[in-house]
Amino acid sequence: MVSEYVKEFQKREIPFSIITTIHKLNVGELFGIAEFVLANKIYGWQIQLAMPFGRMRENTELLLTEEEFWQACIMVEKIRKILSFAKIAAADCFAWAPAGRIRQGRWCGCSGGLESVGIDALGNLRGCLSMTGCEPEGNIRERSITQIWQDTNLFSYNRNFNPQNTSLSCQECARS
């Protein structure tokens, strides 16, 4: 069924990518998903980690351990080499994982509200749909996406980011 939608998007020349959220039950399926990406000539694939919010808040035993996280990084690195034609990237939740291995170049921080926006099922806009702890920046039923995006008072957590407002441990991190 999914393949039919992929083919329809491709036939209509609608650009798209796929997103896979990994956890203990599906992390071993990454190579199988890579085969699907290859067979369907999908050029964009984001791999992200399940995080402890939403329904996963009640299922934290499914979150990857630190060791499983590093093993997932190795799998993503291998997949990126095999599928070199595709843009395969680890999401921001991978943060400081090895530069150049799971994404192009060095991770420069969250792009929510700077380069991306997420719209939930109710029409609420956030810099990223993972930012469930933040109030929405607006709703597309009340204002257009353009109006919300261009409002200089919104997305201030990133648009007005100041390293001096972070904790001392963040300020002193050797990775910055």
Side-chain angles (χ1 to χ4, degrees):
M1 180 86 160
V2 172
S3 239
E4 293 173 27
Y5 292 111
V6 167
K7 296 206 183 320
E8 190 62 29
F9 283 137
Q10 290 171 334
K11 182 175 97 180
R12 295 174 185 251
E13 297 182 5
I14 298 171
F16 69 96
S17 60
I18 63 170
I19 299 174
T20 303
T21 302
I22 58 174
H23 48 75
K24 285 187 188 292
L25 299 178
N26 71 355
V27 69
E29 298 176 24
L30 283 176
F31 288 108
I33 297 169
E35 288 177 10
F36 175 83
V37 169
L38 178 62
N40 289 281
K41 298 181 179 84
I42 297 172
Y43 298 102
W45 182 18
Q46 177 176 293
I47 302 170
Q48 58 192 32
L49 301 170
M51 303 299 278
F53 48 77
R55 288 182 293 188
M56 194 56 79
R57 190 179 342 222
E58 288 83 41
N59 296 289
T60 55
E61 72 280 0
L62 298 177
L63 299 174
L64 299 183
T65 65
E66 186 174 345
E67 182 179 328
E68 290 166 329
F69 166 81
W70 289 112
Q71 296 205 353
C73 288
I74 291 166
M75 284 191 269
V76 172
E77 180 180 15
K78 287 179 181 177
I79 289 168
R80 289 186 75 220
K81 288 178 183 174
I82 295 167
L83 301 176
S84 59
F85 71 89
K87 182 180 182 200
I88 300 170
D92 284 343
C93 53
F94 276 83
W96 296 107
R101 292 181 163 184
I102 62 167
R103 67 171 62 85
Q104 293 305 110
R106 183 177 177 268
W107 182 68
C108 297
C110 172
S111 63
L114 298 173
E115 298 174 356
S116 63
V117 65
I119 305 171
D120 71 18
L122 300 174
N124 295 314
L125 262 72
R126 290 184 172 83
C128 172
L129 292 179
S130 295
M131 302 176 96
T132 57
C134 300
E135 288 296 315
E137 301 295 337
N139 188 290
I140 60 172
R141 294 184 176 125
E142 298 165 8
R143 295 173 70 195
S144 73
I145 294 172
T146 302
Q147 289 173 321
I148 296 168
W149 184 258
Q150 292 177 348
D151 187 331
T152 57
N153 297 310
L154 301 178
F155 305 100
S156 62
Y157 51 85
N158 264 352
R159 292 181 180 177
N160 300 321
F161 178 76
N162 181 343
Q164 298 305 313
N165 294 336
T166 61
S167 69
L168 190 58
S169 62
C170 286
Q171 291 176 28
E172 294 175 347
C173 180
R175 292 181 263 204
S176 57

